[in-house]
Amino acid sequence: MSEQTDRPEQSEDGRGPLRPGAAPASASPAASPAAPPPAPEIPLRTETEEPAEAAHYRVHHLTSYRYAKPVSRNYGRAHVEPRATPHQRVLSHEVVVDPAPARLTAHTDFYGNSSTYLLVDERHERLDVHSHARVTVAERRYPLEPMSRPWELCTPENWGPLLPASSIDFVHSSPRIPGGTAAREISERVFTPERPIGECLAELTALIHTEFTYDSRATTVTSTLEDVLAARHGVCQDFSHVGVAAVRAAGLAARYVSGYLRTAPSAEGALVTQPAGEMIGSAASHAWLSVLVPGTGWVDIDPTNRTFVDQRFVTTAWGRDYGDVPPLKGIVVGPPGATSTLEVAVGVVPVTPEASSAE
């Protein structure tokens, strides 16, 4: 079994230094009849602007499997616990499995992600995995100087001694993001000589958002990066892989990030909520990418929604690609030919600080 990300069931230009509050100009092909959407504004830190208040959320993620015939054993691993980051505090978290599992244990992997192992060792026709959490997410803003550096100064030899050695894993190809693909062409269009890294990331976000079509039925969890690059259709998981591949093709570090998007509150409960605003991908788990920028750390961008990641996003895990951090994967033991259906529901509901601390 494997839960996919935001799918239905089966589920040059030397532009100079950046200016606070300014969006970089977006290059467009000469033959294009219409200008593409502008690149997103880079969230730069200023001396005069007060930081925005933190956002507080109640998070509920439900994964439900229904089996056509009873199965005898279910073993899985879930990446559904929000993780602590410089921008995110986890106030509480709980995983509830029905039927009651024979084993439910927590594990922390090489990259610091928390995951939950579960074993249901009795006959059952359904499996429900609930994740409940309360989190606080702070604003993300980045210093002007490191975001204005030429991208060439963000390669590993410029990282310095303070960055963890594990970051080098995110420079190289990985099982689902091989090197030598057409993503190099995207990389060459974005990472032009001496271009500021902030502009590169904004342009990459806008380019993928513009040239790829969001289509939840175009790909599956087994689709390859080459499939997505050829079809130019896919979902957030696919667009994140394209972005990571383009960044790595330039010799920089990029990681795949899994998490959630804020949903609109509903009187009917968290799992009946609707997407907030025009954000795409909040009906299930979401995915984006993060790029290492020396002097400010990891900078997250979401090409699916053409934005830098902000307080609308809740982070659960990161890895080299989707294969490292799927929301839920495992093995089911049952009769030959047994089939299953999958339903996923996610609610990331804003709450007041008082309500959050009182729960």
Side-chain angles (χ1 to χ4, degrees):
M1 63 181 180
S2 181
E3 179 186 328
Q4 303 180 74
T5 304
D6 70 1
R7 290 190 173 97
E9 297 177 19
Q10 185 201 354
S11 143
E12 235 113 41
D13 298 311
R15 291 185 172 88
L18 306 177
R19 303 188 309 279
S26 178
S28 58
S32 176
E41 180 177 316
I42 302 168
L44 296 175
R45 186 182 304 154
T46 67
E47 296 296 332
T48 58
E49 188 174 6
E50 291 292 327
E53 292 186 3
H56 306 269
Y57 297 113
R58 185 178 68 251
V59 183
H60 184 193
H61 181 171
L62 170 62
T63 303
S64 295
Y65 286 93
R66 297 296 181 266
Y67 304 103
K69 299 178 181 179
V71 298
S72 58
R73 174 173 286 198
N74 219 315
Y75 179 79
R77 180 187 183 193
H79 283 100
V80 292
E81 179 178 352
R83 65 175 293 165
T85 76
H87 312 285
Q88 179 172 286
R89 282 201 311 137
V90 181
L91 305 179
S92 67
H93 179 257
E94 179 185 26
V95 172
V96 178
V97 180
D98 185 21
R103 184 180 306 164
L104 191 67
T105 59
H107 171 73
T108 302
D109 69 14
F110 179 70
Y111 300 118
N113 302 305
S114 296
S115 62
T116 302
Y117 287 94
L118 62 96
L119 170 63
V120 176
D121 199 10
E122 63 180 63
R123 285 172 60 85
H124 55 286
E125 296 181 353
R126 62 177 176 79
L127 176 70
D128 292 337
V129 180
H130 296 261
S131 172
H132 301 273
R134 292 183 298 111
V135 301
T136 298
V137 186
E139 182 182 37
R140 303 189 191 201
R141 288 194 175 271
Y142 306 105
L144 173 62
E145 193 278 327
M147 294 293 280
S148 300
R149 295 174 186 168
W151 67 266
E152 292 92 340
L153 296 182
C154 297
T155 54
E157 56 266 28
N158 295 290
W159 287 355
L162 300 180
L163 294 172
S166 62
S167 299
I168 200 68
D169 284 2
F170 303 118
V171 177
H172 303 299
S173 60
S174 57
R176 290 175 179 259
I177 308 180
T181 68
R184 179 171 293 279
E185 299 172 9
I186 296 174
S187 181
E188 291 172 349
R189 291 168 58 186
V190 171
F191 293 93
T192 53
E194 298 187 358
R195 189 178 193 184
I197 183 62
E199 287 191 7
C200 292
L201 299 186
E203 184 74 12
L204 178 63
T205 305
L207 187 153
I208 296 174
H209 179 85
T210 303
E211 298 191 2
F212 290 74
T213 300
Y214 186 91
D215 183 351
S216 62
R217 299 192 181 276
T219 56
T220 71
V221 73
T222 60
S223 298
T224 66
L225 176 61
E226 290 89 343
D227 293 335
V228 177
L229 288 165
R232 281 324 203 241
H233 282 239
V235 295
C236 65
Q237 169 189 316
D238 306 308
F239 303 159
S240 300
H241 280 166
V242 170
V244 170
V247 173
R248 290 178 183 170
L252 309 185
R255 61 193 184 192
Y256 176 99
V257 187
S258 180
Y260 307 113
L261 281 172
R262 176 173 65 92
T263 55
S266 166
E268 300 178 77
L271 296 183
V272 196
T273 55
Q274 298 297 318
E278 298 300 318
M279 299 294 280
I280 300 170
S282 61
S285 298
H286 192 54
W288 58 93
L289 66 139
S290 187
V291 181
L292 185 55
V293 178
T296 192
W298 292 93
V299 177
D300 290 23
I301 55 176
D302 178 18
T304 302
N305 290 291
R306 193 175 62 83
T307 184
F308 282 77
V309 169
D310 54 26
Q311 291 156 284
R312 296 169 293 180
F313 295 73
V314 173
T315 301
T316 56
W318 55 64
R320 298 166 300 167
D321 55 39
Y322 169 85
D324 284 345
V325 289
L328 181 63
K329 66 177 180 180
I331 299 172
V332 179
V333 179
T339 60
S340 65
T341 58
L342 168 64
E343 294 183 357
V344 177
V346 169
V348 180
V349 180
V351 296
T352 64
E354 294 78 13
S356 178
S357 61
E359 292 178 0

